[in-house]
Structures are given as structure tokens and as C-alpha cells.
Amino acid sequence: MSDKIGADALTLRKLIREAEAVSDEAMIALARLKQAMLLARQNPDVPVDIGQRAIMRLVQAESQAVSMSSNIFRVHGDLNDVARIVCGPDEQIITPLEGSLPDQARPQAAPASGVPEHA
């Protein structure tokens, strides 16, 4: 692999991780905002229906942020595929998708007792 390809690959590796982190931070910020809005609305001096449209719009924004995050994970996977083709099996170029959607979507196996651990 040429030095230019290696440098480009390392830059992409760094930037995809940054994009994933920013996506997560956006979702955290939206969740905090929603929590603050709901807590503010619990004030007895505030009508119960106040801010409902704002909450609905925020939930829509959260959904869009989750979609963005999912698409960034897909981009990450696609970039790993490109890296395998262009760079070969260089482990410093391939960036594992630790904690990505496929791993999180898998159900945890029940312990030998058959009772879930969180029960």
C-alpha cells in the first residue's frame, strides 16, 4: 500500500470515529433537552398541554438523529469494505464496529438458570 493511501485511510478512520461521537453527543443533547422540557412542564403553574408541539418536534428530531447514527455506522462498514479491497488485511486500517448496531441488536443469551440476569 502506498504512503498516500495509508495516510488517507488513517484520516478516514479518525474522521469516522469523530462523526460517530458527534452523532452520539447529538442524541444525548436531545435526550437532555427533552428531559428538561418534561420536567419544566410538570410545574403546577404550567398547563399540562403547554409545549406539546415542541415535544413532538423534538421526538421527531431524535428519530432523525437515530437514523443519522445508523447511516454513519453503515458508512463505517462500507469504508471498512473499501479498506479491505484497497489496503488488504492491515489491522491498523480496518476499524472494528465495536458496539455498533448489529452487536447491540443481538439479544443476550439467558443464563443457565433460564432467568434473565436483570429480572
Side-chain angles (χ1 to χ4, degrees), residues 8-78:
D8 289 344
L10 291 174
T11 298
L12 291 170
R13 178 181 181 163
K14 175 184 174 284
L15 292 174
I16 194 68
R17 292 291 188 169
E18 286 179 14
E20 290 168 342
V22 168
S23 171
D24 287 346
E25 287 298 321
M27 289 190 291
I28 290 168
L30 292 172
R32 287 181 179 155
L33 175 58
K34 184 170 63 174
Q35 181 181 21
M37 290 166 64
L38 292 170
L39 287 171
R41 194 166 77 166
Q42 289 181 335
N43 182 322
D45 296 331
V46 175
V48 295
D49 64 337
I50 200 81
Q52 188 65 22
R53 282 192 316 198
I55 291 169
M56 290 171 53
R57 287 187 175 125
L58 182 60
V59 168
Q60 185 179 31
E62 285 178 311
S63 176
Q64 291 167 343
V66 170
S67 292
M68 178 183 70
S69 177
S70 297
N71 283 322
I72 292 171
F73 279 128
R74 289 181 185 102
V75 168
H76 191 152
D78 290 345

